[in-house]
């Protein structure tokens, strides 16, 4: 069965009106809420931490999808889960002991995802694909919203799909970065299950309508 989920990224929300934007997403057809955490070390930008997570947890009614763009994510996964994360995704490039971290996340009752930067080959996942709940393929270099989609992502979706099938894995494929109305249906057709969209949703005249359009 094909999954077509949209995960708006709060990174592009209006932080002065965070409650309003979260409530808008609660009432929309958004499936997940994508939460981008950046530390200024793994990526050249800092987004937010636990005080903001508390506000998100208080108001969000959707599945909370936390994307950690931080070094040593294993130190913080427990705290993100206690702040409401339903899924925690960690970067392959940031984890020395990825297998341990993935199983630690799952042992705390959350789903676990692994993220690949655009330059990291899919074959690096060969020995972890059977363990993860989700593979997040970055389609921009992480750190900022509103960047241009990298076309090589289509090739990586096909490779990830093959890897999932040949290992009887149940992992979903998520795409993050530069997703918009021009590429969303192509990405679903190529095998993506979940699309993250920040700029496309929040710069739209009607974010709710844009979320609907991205699903078609
Ligand atoms: C980038 C983040 C993305 C970002 C996507 O580092 O991981 O989730 O918010 O934003 P858009 O959709 O604007 O490219
Ligand atoms: Zn993200």
């Amino acid at each position: 069965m094909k999954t077509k989920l949209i995960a708006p990224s709060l990174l592009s929300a209006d932080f002065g009106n965070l409650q309003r934007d979260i409530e808008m997403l609660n009432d929309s057809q958004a499936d997940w809420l994508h939460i981008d955490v950046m530390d200024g070390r793994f990526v050249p930008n800092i987004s937010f931490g636990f005080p903001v997570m508390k506000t998100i947890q208080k108001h969000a009614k959707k599945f909370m999808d936390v994307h950690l763009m931080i070094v040593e994510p294993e130190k913080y996964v427990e705290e993100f889960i206690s702040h409401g994360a339903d899924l925690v995704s960690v970067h392959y490039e940031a984890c020395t002991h990825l297998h341990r971290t993935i199983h630690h996340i799952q042992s705390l009752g959350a789903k676990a995802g692994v993220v690949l930067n655009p330059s990291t080959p899919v074959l690096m996942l060969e020995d972890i694909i059977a363990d993860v709940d989700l593979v997040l393929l970055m389609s921009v270099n992480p750190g900022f919203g509103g960047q241009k989609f990298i076309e090589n992502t289509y090739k990586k979706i096909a490779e990830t799909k093959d890897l999932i099938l040949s290992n009887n894995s149940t992992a979903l494929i998520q795409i993050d970065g530069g997703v918009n109305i021009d590429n969303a249906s192509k990405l679903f057709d190529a095998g993506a299950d979940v699309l993250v969209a920040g700029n496309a949703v929040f710069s739209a005249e009607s974010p709710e309508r844009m979320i609907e359009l991205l699903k078609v």
Side-chain angles (χ1 to χ4, degrees), residues 91-215:
H91 271 258
Y92 170 84
E93 302 86 1
C95 290
T96 311
H97 302 289
L98 180 61
H99 182 274
R100 177 183 291 150
T101 304
I102 291 293
H103 284 278
H104 182 49
I105 293 168
Q106 291 165 337
S107 74
L108 295 167
K111 302 280 185 199
V114 61
V115 194
L116 296 185
N117 277 337
S119 64
T120 305
V122 170
L123 60 88
M124 304 315 279
L125 298 181
E126 199 175 338
D127 292 300
I128 197 71
I129 193 71
D131 300 78
V132 296
D133 299 296
L134 175 136
V135 175
L136 168 47
L137 300 173
M138 288 307 304
S139 41
V140 298
N141 287 293
F144 304 93
Q147 301 183 79
K148 192 175 173 300
F149 180 84
I150 296 171
E151 295 291 326
N152 189 53
T153 307
Y154 290 105
K155 186 195 91 176
K156 291 179 79 172
I157 294 175
E159 291 169 353
T160 307
K161 200 95 217 160
D162 285 349
L163 192 64
I164 287 171
L165 290 174
S166 57
N167 286 277
N168 291 322
S169 163
T170 55
L172 296 177
I173 301 177
Q174 183 178 39
I175 306 300
D176 186 5
V179 171
N180 57 41
I181 197 68
D182 298 322
N183 56 22
S185 65
K186 254 174 86 180
L187 287 164
F188 281 131
D189 290 347
D193 301 294
V194 193
L195 301 182
V196 175
N199 191 51
V201 167
F202 284 97
S203 69
E205 208 170 300
S206 166
E208 296 98 319
R209 179 75 188 128
M210 178 54 69
I211 292 165
E212 287 171 24
L213 292 172
L214 288 169
K215 287 193 174 195

Side-chain angles (χ1 to χ4, degrees), residues 9 11 34 36 38 67 69 138 142-146 176-178 196-199:
S9 166
L11 192 62
H34 187 78
D36 287 304
M38 305 178 182
H67 174 194
M69 287 163 275
M138 288 307 304
F144 304 93
D176 186 5
V196 175
N199 191 51

Side-chain angles (χ1 to χ4, degrees), residues 63-82:
F63 182 91
M64 284 169 63
D65 155 28
V66 174
H67 174 194
L68 295 181
M69 287 163 275
I70 62 176
V71 298
E72 300 179 313
E74 64 278 0
K75 287 187 179 168
Y76 302 100
V77 294
E78 190 160 357
E79 205 163 345
F80 279 103
I81 293 166
S82 72

